[in-house]
Amino acid sequence: MSLHVIFRSCSLNSVHFKERFIPVPKTELIFHCLRALIVSLHNIQNTGHPSAQAGRMADITLTVIDDHSSPECVSGIKDILAQCPWQTEFVPLAESGNNASMKFCYARAKDSKSELLYLVEDDYLHTLGC
């Protein structure tokens, strides 16, 4: 199985300029959600997934598409990605804004050769069963 996960990040407080649903700094939320996603991806190998049962490692690619996050956030994301045992990519956007980043993510997904695509936002929290 080949899986391409596209994680869209932006450390601005809110793309809609409203109060966020959780009262923690956005960078902290991004780090926590990215780590939870990675733990969930690790779990693919340790479950009853058909590729694990066949003794094969899932072919995983994790791409982070970043919309002008702070230097602290970018550095932390790169540190987290460096710990992944699979292919990772960090892509800083040239343009800025929700529409530009969504368009870029959809284009990246369209060009992906993976069997399964998963587009995820930086505030999606994952559990082991995900």
Side-chain angles (χ1 to χ4, degrees):
M1 173 194 76
S2 59
L3 168 64
H4 189 179
V5 178
I6 300 174
F7 182 95
R8 192 167 70 123
S9 64
C10 178
S11 68
L12 298 175
N13 281 337
S14 175
V15 295
H16 304 292
F17 304 104
K18 297 179 184 174
E19 190 173 319
R20 286 189 343 267
F21 63 94
I22 185 169
V24 298
K26 181 69 186 287
T27 296
E28 183 181 329
L29 180 65
I30 291 171
F31 294 166
H32 187 78
C33 290
L34 182 57
R35 285 185 188 112
L37 172 64
I38 289 168
V39 168
S40 181
L41 291 172
H42 276 290
N43 200 39
I44 289 173
Q45 307 308 136
N46 302 321
T47 65
H49 188 276
S51 64
Q53 289 175 350
R56 298 187 328 236
M57 297 293 284
D59 178 19
I60 299 172
T61 302
L62 175 57
T63 302
V64 174
I65 308 296
D66 186 73
D67 184 2
H68 299 86
S69 289
S70 69
E72 170 197 15
C73 186
V74 169
S75 177
I77 289 171
K78 288 179 177 180
D79 288 346
I80 293 168
L81 292 178
Q83 299 172 25
C84 292
W86 50 77
Q87 181 179 342
T88 63
E89 178 182 24
F90 180 86
V91 181
L93 288 176
E95 295 184 55
S96 186
N98 192 46
N99 290 341
S101 68
M102 284 302 298
K103 183 178 178 183
F104 190 91
C105 287
Y106 290 152
R108 182 59 63 100
K110 182 180 177 187
D111 292 340
S112 179
K113 304 296 184 216
S114 293
E115 297 168 282
L116 182 63
L117 291 168
Y118 181 48
L119 277 69
V120 60
E121 300 291 316
D122 61 10
D123 59 357
Y124 291 6
L125 186 59
H126 293 78
T127 63
L128 287 176
C130 288

